[in-house]
Amino acid sequence: MDPILEISDLVVEFSSPTGLFRRSSISAVDKVSIKISKGEAVGIVGESGSGKTTIARTIVKLIEPTSGHVLFNGQDIFRQDSCARKEYRKQVQMIFQDPYESLNPRSSVLRIVEEPLIVHKISPGREDRKEKGYELLQLVGLEKDLAARYPHELSGGQRQRVAIARALAVNPQVLVCDEPVSMLDVSIRVGILNLLKDLKRSMNLTFVFITHDLGVARYFCDRVAVIYRGQMMEAAQTEDLIINTMNPYTQLLLDSVPGEGNGKSNDLNVDASTETAGQRSTLPSGCRFNPRCPNAKEKCTKAPPEFEAREENHYVACYYPIR
C-alpha cells in the first residue's frame, strides 16, 4: 500500500550570523526519510534540538525545506497550486505543544472550534456551525457548558482538548502532534493519549507524533524513528525498537524513562550530559553522536554510518550497534 505521507531526503538549514557581515548555515534536519501509511501512528523521538519539531513544522508547511520532498498521497506539497494547497491544509492539521499559546485568548471555546469551519467554508450557517462545534466538544470529552468560556478559564488538559477539537473540525486525514502532552500534568497525560488513541481508531486517523519520551511513544505509536542532531539514528516497530535497541543513542533515551529499561545499559556508559548551543552549531565529523558514544572508535569519526536495515524492518545508523 502506498504511504499517505512520505518524507524523502529532507534537509532543512537555517542561517545564523557569525560576525558583522558573515552568516553560517546550521543544519537542523539532514536527509531524513520516513514513510507513513494511512491509519498509522509514527513517533519521531529525540532530545531538544534534535530537529523533530522542525520536521513537524515542515510537514504542515510552516517551514520551507532546503532540499528534499514531502509527499502527500504521492504529490509534492511544495509544488502545489493554490487549490491543492488549501485542500492540503484541511487534510493535515497540527496540534501544538502549548495549548495556551496556540489558542486565541480573546475567543470563546465555541468560536475557536468554529473558526476552521468559517475559514474553509464548511458550514456556512451560524446554527449549523454552532451545532457542529458542540458535537466536536463532545467528541473530545468536553461538556457543552464550556463552550462560552475562554482559554484562561480552562485547565491545561481542557485547553488541549479544545485544540484537538479545532484540528478535527475540518475532518483531516493526518494529525501532526508536537509534544502534545509534555506540558500537562502526569495525571492528565494518559487521558489525552487515550483520547487520541480512540480518535485514531474511530476516524482512521494517521499521526505524526513528536516526543522526547520513549515511554509516551511506546504507549501511543506503532513505529518510532529516533533522530539526533538532524539525522536518523534508528527506526523500527515500537516494541522491537525498545526491546531490541541497537543504537547507543536510543539506549540513552530509553534509560532516561523510569521503568522502560531493557537490560542493555549495564555495560554502557553513555554520556547523558546536555549540549551547549555552541556545541550544537558545530557538528562533529563522522557519526554525530560519536563524542558521547561509549562504543565510538576511530572509524566513527571519519564518516557517518549508513542508515540501513540490520534486521527485518529495523534500521540503524551505527558502525558498532548494541547486541
Side-chain angles (χ1 to χ4, degrees), residues 235 246 306-317 323:
M246 294 187 185
E306 293 292 326
F307 188 69
E308 58 188 4
R310 293 302 179 97
E311 295 180 359
E312 186 178 1
N313 297 321
H314 196 140
Y315 295 82
V316 185
R323 297 297 182 184

Side-chain angles (χ1 to χ4, degrees), residues 238-285:
T238 305
E239 284 300 310
D240 183 25
L241 181 132
I242 289 174
I243 295 172
N244 190 27
T245 305
M246 294 187 185
N247 195 291
Y249 176 62
T250 307
Q251 187 65 49
L252 167 64
L253 294 178
L254 190 61
D255 290 343
S256 69
V257 183
E260 292 291 345
N262 56 14
K264 289 191 173 187
S265 60
N266 296 333
D267 298 325
L268 292 174
N269 186 24
V270 181
D271 182 1
S273 62
T274 57
E275 299 163 311
T276 66
Q279 289 172 322
R280 284 178 180 165
S281 63
T282 305
L283 296 175
S285 59

Side-chain angles (χ1 to χ4, degrees), residues 11-30:
V11 175
V12 181
E13 296 177 347
F14 297 111
S15 179
S16 174
T18 57
L20 186 59
F21 300 107
R22 292 183 299 172
R23 302 185 72 85
S24 65
S25 181
I26 297 176
S27 176
V29 178
D30 189 4

Side-chain angles (χ1 to χ4, degrees), residues 7 26 32 68 86 119 123 133-134 137 144 146 165 179 184 195 211 214 217 229 237 248 252 255 276 281 296:
I7 303 165
I26 297 176
V32 167
K86 187 171 183 180
V119 171
S123 297
Y134 289 144
L137 293 178
K144 186 176 179 179
L146 293 178
E179 299 268 17
L184 303 178
L195 169 63
T211 181
L214 270 174
R229 300 190 74 170
Q237 295 292 320
L252 167 64
D255 290 343
T276 66
S281 63

Side-chain angles (χ1 to χ4, degrees), residues 105-119:
R106 292 185 167 186
S107 295
S108 68
V109 166
L110 184 60
R111 173 68 183 185
I112 289 169
V113 175
E114 285 181 333
E115 188 170 8
L117 303 175
I118 298 171
V119 171

Side-chain angles (χ1 to χ4, degrees), residues 79-311:
R79 296 183 179 179
Q80 296 172 321
D81 58 29
S82 58
C83 291
R85 282 197 301 270
K86 187 171 183 180
E87 182 62 25
Y88 179 75
R89 294 194 184 281
K90 286 171 57 180
Q91 297 299 329
V92 180
Q93 289 285 303
M94 187 165 184
I95 299 169
F96 294 91
Q97 179 179 12
D98 187 345
Y100 191 76
E101 292 292 331
S102 67
L103 302 179
N104 186 344
R106 292 185 167 186
S107 295
S108 68
V109 166
L110 184 60
R111 173 68 183 185
I112 289 169
V113 175
E114 285 181 333
E115 188 170 8
L117 303 175
I118 298 171
V119 171
H120 292 282
K121 300 178 181 178
I122 295 175
S123 297
R126 169 64 178 162
E127 290 303 316
D128 289 341
R129 289 198 304 270
K130 190 174 181 180
E131 190 60 35
K132 177 67 173 177
Y134 289 144
E135 290 176 5
L136 288 164
L137 293 178
Q138 184 177 21
L139 181 64
V140 299
L142 294 176
E143 298 295 332
K144 186 176 179 179
D145 60 5
L146 293 178
R149 296 191 186 181
Y150 289 79
H152 71 275
E153 299 177 290
L154 305 178
S155 68
Q158 288 172 331
R159 284 195 288 263
Q160 196 62 292
R161 288 175 187 267
V162 173
I164 294 169
R166 179 181 60 185
L168 295 175
V170 291
N171 195 28
Q173 294 188 52
V174 179
L175 287 183
V176 180
C177 303
D178 184 13
E179 299 268 17
V181 298
S182 66
M183 297 191 71
L184 303 178
D185 292 341
V186 174
S187 59
I188 305 298
R189 292 180 185 180
V190 174
I192 297 296
L193 291 173
N194 284 337
L195 169 63
L196 294 175
K197 271 190 169 186
D198 291 342
L199 294 171
K200 175 178 179 290
R201 181 172 54 253
S202 62
M203 302 177 69
N204 196 27
L205 289 170
T206 304
F207 281 85
V208 180
F209 195 90
I210 308 299
T211 181
H212 64 276
D213 189 332
L214 270 174
V216 171
R218 186 178 196 177
Y219 188 79
F220 184 76
C221 299
D222 303 307
R223 273 192 303 132
V224 171
V226 177
I227 67 170
Y228 178 70
R229 300 190 74 170
Q231 288 190 336
M232 298 280 286
M233 304 299 284
E234 189 166 4
Q237 295 292 320
T238 305
E239 284 300 310
D240 183 25
L241 181 132
I242 289 174
I243 295 172
N244 190 27
T245 305
M246 294 187 185
N247 195 291
Y249 176 62
T250 307
Q251 187 65 49
L252 167 64
L253 294 178
L254 190 61
D255 290 343
S256 69
V257 183
E260 292 291 345
N262 56 14
K264 289 191 173 187
S265 60
N266 296 333
D267 298 325
L268 292 174
N269 186 24
V270 181
D271 182 1
S273 62
T274 57
E275 299 163 311
T276 66
Q279 289 172 322
R280 284 178 180 165
S281 63
T282 305
L283 296 175
S285 59
C287 173
R288 293 186 178 178
F289 189 59
N290 82 75
R292 301 169 65 191
C293 181
N295 290 355
K297 297 178 175 59
E298 185 178 359
K299 182 179 182 180
C300 303
T301 67
K302 301 300 182 183
E306 293 292 326
F307 188 69
E308 58 188 4
R310 293 302 179 97
E311 295 180 359

